[in-house]
Amino acid sequence: MKNFVKLVRFEFNRFAPIYATLAVLTALIQLIGVFVTTNGYLRSVSEQKQSGIVNDSEIIANIGKMGMTDFVNSLWFLGPIMFCGAVLMLYSVFIWYRDWLGKNTFIYRLLMLPTQRLNILFSKVTTIFLMVIGLIALQLVLLYIENSLFQMLLPTAYFNYSNLNQMIQSSYYLMMFYPTSGLVFISRYSKGLLGLLVVSTVVLFERSYKIKGLIIGVAYATFVQLIFYAVYFMQFYNVMLYLFASEIFLISLVLTVVASALSIWISHRLLIKKVTV
């Protein structure tokens, strides 16, 4: 466990400068977006008044109120989230390949460490997963801050107040990150963790067998994905097969555990048998 924690800390420190930049960039762009959005809305209010409409209720009837439920679906809000997601997805692959880059290949030093090679896999997957959780937690804090800014910058009559649950429910993407059900949370994030394990397995296949390994890895990733859609396909094409939501959840959870165990086993075998010093 001690060696595993050291490896996680090491992997995190390698990416920390870029990770901090992503966090600061997300906060900065979204906060600037709040000011730009509120200024644009207030200009619209001013234009309404200049046209002779001075009654607040009439102005609101024309342009509506403004609040976080509108902002969370704007590019100012979603743009940084998508960018961070793309960077972390790329890094989930690069976190492996960077060890093979350079004159003094660092993977050799990792493989010679006095620890189980499986810890190398777990440390990389855990690092990415914790980074994702960290950005999701940061976004939760930013939602509160941005909502407060809207309340400060907009007159009370024009401010559309919304609580945290309403903000999340108003955005498809936020509902993905913050499920309202504990079971959905477990299902969704366990699949995310499985995704990271599968990506690592694909990389190790490629590193072990080159082009042939890449083909095998892509085929394996496709196979895992098809397994999860199999139940839905069966329900769609066979009306006699009907499963309750709870049953689908249990099947999905079992498949996630089985696929994760399979990915770990394959990765472990490749690290021991094929990826050599």
Side-chain angles (χ1 to χ4, degrees), residues 41 80 135 208 211 217 232 271:
Y41 179 80
L135 287 178
S208 301
I211 299 298
Y232 301 99
L271 281 169

Side-chain angles (χ1 to χ4, degrees), residues 149-198:
L149 277 175
F150 266 104
Q151 196 167 3
M152 290 171 54
L153 296 171
L154 293 175
T156 305
Y158 300 104
F159 175 63
N160 182 25
Y161 175 80
S162 55
N163 57 36
L164 181 61
N165 186 57
Q166 290 170 328
M167 295 180 211
I168 293 173
Q169 292 294 322
S170 64
S171 171
Y172 169 78
Y173 298 99
L174 288 182
M175 288 178 65
M176 289 178 58
F177 297 133
Y178 308 106
T180 54
S181 167
L183 293 178
V184 176
F185 179 89
I186 294 171
S187 174
R188 193 160 294 167
Y189 281 87
S190 62
K191 287 179 182 177
L193 193 56
L194 168 62
L196 293 175
L197 288 169
V198 170

Side-chain angles (χ1 to χ4, degrees), residues 74-93:
S74 69
L75 188 60
W76 283 106
F77 184 84
L78 295 176
I81 294 176
M82 293 179 179
F83 178 73
C84 289
V87 172
L88 288 180
M89 286 178 64
L90 288 173
Y91 190 68
S92 66
V93 176

